[in-house]
Each structure stands twice: as C-alpha cells, then as structure tokens.
Amino acid sequence: MSVTPPRQRGVAMMEALVALLVLAFGVLGLARLQVGALTESRNTNARAVAVQLAADLAERMQSNVAVRRANPALNPYEIRWGAPPAAGTDCLATACDGEELAAFDVRAWKLNVRSLLPNGDASVFRSDTDNNQFGVLMRWTSFKAMNEDIAPAGQDALYTRADAVTDATGAVGTGVASEICTTGFTCHLVYIRP
C-alpha cells in the first residue's frame, strides 16, 4: 500500500508574500538613500552659494576705495544678524561717497543672502587677530531639520556651532566670542581680506 503525502497548499502564496516583503524593504531603502542624497545635494549647493556670496562681499569691499583706504575703526561693512538696512542713496543712479556706497552694498548684499539661501542671514565682523581681515558668517535653515523634523541638537556640531570650526592653527571658532551659529541653522564661516 502506498502512502500519498499530504498536499501542501499556500506555499507559493507564502513565497510570493515573503518576496514582496523583501522587495518593499529594498524600495524603502532606495527611497531613503535618494532623500539623503537630495538633502546633501541641497546642503552642498547652499555652501557653494555661501562661498560665492562671501566673494561678492569681498569684491564690493575691495571696490569701495574710500572706505578701504580710510580703514575706519568701525567699518561700515561690519553688520550683525537681522534685516537688511533701510534703503538709502541709490548709488546706481547718483554718485555716492564711501559711506553711502557701503550702506548701498550692505543692503543689496543682505537682500541677496536672503533670496539665495532659505531664511538666509549673515553677520560680518572684523577679525580679532588681523585688522584687515573680516569674518563672514552666513546661516540658513538646515535642510536636514526641514526634511527630517529632527531637533537641531541631533545634528553634527560642525553644522550647528561656529565654535566647532577650527582654523589652520587649531584655534577654535570664529575668533570673536559673540559670533556663533544660531541653533537650528546651518552656518558657513569664510574669512575675507578685501
């Protein structure tokens, strides 16, 4: 007498479900990689824009011969966080002296920072160690925080604290204690010598 094995039912369905589950995890992993790549691409683009904005400010300062030669103790290009200054003399329409040109440049430059970086702002300060060198600290809303809704404290210190940046000699920070990156923003520090 021969014994017939019991019939297995549903094995193909189980295999298909397991395969579908593995495929779903793979697709989710690829989607996560794509979001991460997009975030890093945006951060890289924002840093490139920040470098270009710092170079633009250096050129504006360099072209203002009156202020550059006078080298006043309080340079009109030194600005703090906040809204661009009110519109003054339009130096494109009329001749301006050095102070008026500096005010015109600062307003135009801060408006560029605001328009090219998300929630962009900047602070320009004179270096403590070199009277002819200026620090340009720019900040913008972190793409990481916008995309992942994470607390800024969870970010790498390099992106949230200006005092996590070191120069070639190993000195920490911006060189000016009051110039730090605001929590919740990504910052980029550039030193310029107009």
Side-chain angles (χ1 to χ4, degrees):
M1 178 184 248
S2 80
V3 178
T4 57
R7 299 184 77 182
Q8 295 181 347
R9 294 187 177 163
V11 173
M13 178 65 84
M14 289 299 288
E15 289 175 353
L17 288 175
V18 169
L20 188 60
L21 182 66
V22 169
L23 179 65
F25 279 123
V27 169
L28 284 175
L30 287 174
R32 177 75 176 145
L33 283 173
Q34 181 66 26
V35 168
L38 180 61
T39 300
E40 288 308 311
S41 175
R42 287 181 174 175
N43 283 327
T44 301
N45 184 51
R47 287 192 184 278
V49 167
V51 169
Q52 290 171 349
L53 286 167
D56 177 44
L57 181 64
E59 289 173 9
R60 289 174 187 267
M61 293 171 80
Q62 181 71 27
S63 67
N64 191 340
V65 177
V67 170
R68 188 168 40 89
R69 285 187 181 155
N71 197 14
L74 182 58
N75 192 296
Y77 286 95
E78 291 182 64
I79 53 175
R80 297 296 175 245
W81 305 115
T89 305
D90 182 0
C91 293
L92 295 176
T94 183
C96 293
D97 64 17
E99 293 287 326
E100 291 171 331
L101 180 58
F104 179 79
D105 284 343
V106 165
R107 177 173 172 70
W109 185 76
K110 287 262 297 196
L111 288 171
N112 281 342
V113 170
R114 277 212 165 153
S115 69
L116 295 174
L117 296 171
N119 297 322
D121 199 359
S123 178
V124 179
F125 55 93
R126 197 182 296 255
S127 170
D128 280 351
T129 57
D130 185 349
N131 200 30
N132 295 317
Q133 188 178 45
F134 293 83
V136 180
L137 184 60
M138 284 171 270
R139 71 180 183 201
W140 59 90
T141 303
S142 172
F143 291 108
K144 199 174 205 181
M146 287 189 322
N147 288 337
E148 298 177 6
D149 294 325
I150 62 168
Q155 296 177 10
D156 187 336
L158 177 63
Y159 298 108
T160 58
R161 294 187 0 240
D163 63 354
V165 178
T166 58
D167 64 13
T169 64
V172 174
T174 61
V176 177
S178 63
E179 299 299 332
I180 60 171
C181 185
T182 310
T183 302
F185 287 90
T186 297
C187 289
H188 190 82
L189 173 65
V190 179
Y191 281 99
I192 58 175
R193 184 183 296 274

